[in-house]
Amino acid sequence: DAGVTQSPTHLIKTRGQQVTLRCSPKSGHDTVSWYQQALGQGPQFIFQYYEEEERQRGNFPDRFSGHQYPNYSSELNVNALLLGDSALYLCASSRDRVEKLFFGSGTQLSVL
Amino acid sequence: SQQGEEDPQALSIQEGENATMNCSYKTSINNLQWYRQNSGRGLVHLILIRSNEREKHSGRLRVTLDTSKKSSSLLITASRAADTASYFCAPGHQAGTALIFGKGTTLSVSS
């Protein structure tokens, strides 16, 4: 049983570009949450998707958007990249109403 | 959703010693979870304690919860070098709401 998988593992972009990160949840999970973790900081909640809709959102600008597909996989899109967007992006999945999160290994994004 | 605040920010101990880290939060919760993160990796769930529980054990882990003080502690007994990681607490509220993490406690266990 595969756990949460994220792709790509590493990514280098330049300022102003756009990026798409992908996440496949653990089998049986229908809820996907995205987090941004800057170096030395805790994970910051970006948003959560359930039933293909954004159910909850953290304090992130509209440049951050997402999508969830019928198979529960999810994408995180970031437009107009800034240097400050450089971080580890983590995807976590869960079953709805079940508290425990399962995390992927993350995508390390570097913006130059 | 609210985040927990872990204390201390950093902790260095020798192998075999016990490690205690604390978490405080501000509003009522349904449960509280602890996660571990090895450097540059995803978080791993360690243990969940519900608001009607006071103590819970899992292997070398012991978690306590004091809802009157809005605090929790995580004790790792007989620490090993492999316990070196960052530890995060996450207060849980209504089912389905997102978990919010603080800055964590960075534990270093030296041999």
Side-chain angles (χ1 to χ4, degrees):
Chain A
D1 175 27
V4 180
T5 58
Q6 292 187 242
S7 63
T9 54
H10 296 84
L11 201 53
I12 299 176
K13 291 286 188 178
T14 56
R15 280 181 300 173
Q17 287 188 313
Q18 178 264 342
V19 68
T20 297
L21 311 182
R22 294 177 174 83
C23 172
S24 292
K26 182 178 170 62
S27 178
H29 287 188
D30 54 11
T31 303
V32 174
S33 301
W34 287 92
Y35 292 84
Q36 178 197 66
Q37 187 176 26
L39 193 63
Q41 302 296 314
Q44 299 296 304
F45 173 69
I46 304 175
F47 41 55
Q48 181 187 84
Y49 275 84
Y50 171 68
E51 290 190 340
E52 302 180 51
E53 292 197 358
E54 184 183 288
R55 178 160 69 178
Q56 192 173 348
R57 187 180 183 93
N59 188 25
F60 277 79
D62 292 344
R63 297 187 298 109
F64 290 78
S65 63
H67 189 79
Q68 185 179 37
Y69 294 94
N71 67 353
Y72 308 119
S73 66
S74 178
E75 290 180 351
L76 164 64
N77 301 291
V78 187
N79 293 322
L81 285 167
L82 304 174
L83 296 180
D85 295 331
S86 294
L88 179 68
Y89 288 84
L90 295 166
C91 169
S93 74
S94 61
R95 285 189 290 137
D96 185 43
R97 311 294 167 179
V98 176
E99 301 94 340
K100 180 178 174 180
L101 293 182
F102 289 78
F103 281 80
S105 296
T107 294
Q108 184 66 54
L109 172 65
S110 298
V111 182
L112 306 179
Chain B
S1 302
Q2 60 157 328
Q3 70 182 49
E5 292 189 14
E6 298 88 351
D7 175 72
Q9 289 188 350
L11 182 60
S12 294
I13 60 173
Q14 298 286 320
E15 264 193 332
E17 294 181 336
N18 295 341
T20 299
M21 52 205 84
N22 304 297
C23 171
S24 61
Y25 56 92
K26 294 184 178 176
T27 63
S28 296
I29 60 173
N30 287 342
N31 62 77
L32 187 139
Q33 301 180 57
W34 285 90
Y35 287 79
R36 182 189 73 224
Q37 183 181 36
N38 291 93
S39 181
R41 306 286 293 176
L43 281 68
V44 175
H45 180 268
L46 294 177
I47 196 166
L48 179 152
I49 186 166
R50 300 203 178 274
S51 60
N52 61 352
E53 297 176 306
R54 291 297 169 259
E55 187 171 312
K56 199 165 184 178
H57 295 255
S58 177
R60 294 184 295 111
L61 305 180
R62 171 180 166 245
V63 169
T64 62
L65 179 64
D66 187 335
T67 54
S68 67
K69 295 181 179 178
K70 293 184 172 58
S71 67
S72 173
S73 67
L74 171 66
L75 168 68
I76 304 174
T77 60
S79 295
R80 307 165 180 168
D83 295 326
T84 294
S86 292
Y87 292 81
F88 299 91
C89 69
H93 305 277
Q94 178 183 352
T97 56
L99 290 186
I100 307 298
F101 297 91
K103 294 183 178 181
T105 292
T106 299
L107 173 65
S108 297
V109 182
S110 54
S111 53

